[in-house]
Amino acid sequence: MAARTDVEPASQFDQHHVGPRRRQAFALLETAKERGQIRTGVDLGVVVDLIWGSCYIRLLLPHMTGTLTDPA
């Protein structure tokens, strides 16, 4: 909880956990964009947020039933 309200733990978490992973994802997406696999004009920051948001919600709520691969 301290990482949400205390600047120092939040900064450390961002610097050592979130930041490096976001930069790596952004670099991979930038490479894909340069290869023509992602359209010009796509906001890669938004794409990274969408990917990581999905990952984090699954980590925060592991008891969620169902997966993306469950049959409808």
Side-chain angles (χ1 to χ4, degrees):
M1 193 60 113
R4 291 176 48 197
T5 57
D6 190 339
V7 174
E8 183 57 27
S11 175
Q12 291 295 314
F13 184 70
D14 184 54
Q15 183 179 356
H16 297 289
H17 182 74
V18 176
R21 286 160 179 80
R22 284 184 58 79
R23 286 189 294 277
Q24 184 179 28
F26 190 86
L28 290 170
L29 291 170
E30 187 63 43
T31 299
K33 194 174 194 178
E34 290 168 1
R35 292 178 179 165
Q37 297 168 323
I38 297 176
R39 282 191 329 236
T40 302
V42 170
D43 186 336
L44 298 182
V46 171
V47 174
V48 170
D49 287 344
L50 291 169
I51 292 168
W52 284 112
S54 299
C55 293
Y56 282 124
I57 196 69
R58 299 294 286 196
L59 290 171
L60 293 171
L61 301 171
H63 61 282
M64 287 177 54
T65 58
T67 67
L68 296 176
T69 58
D70 280 348

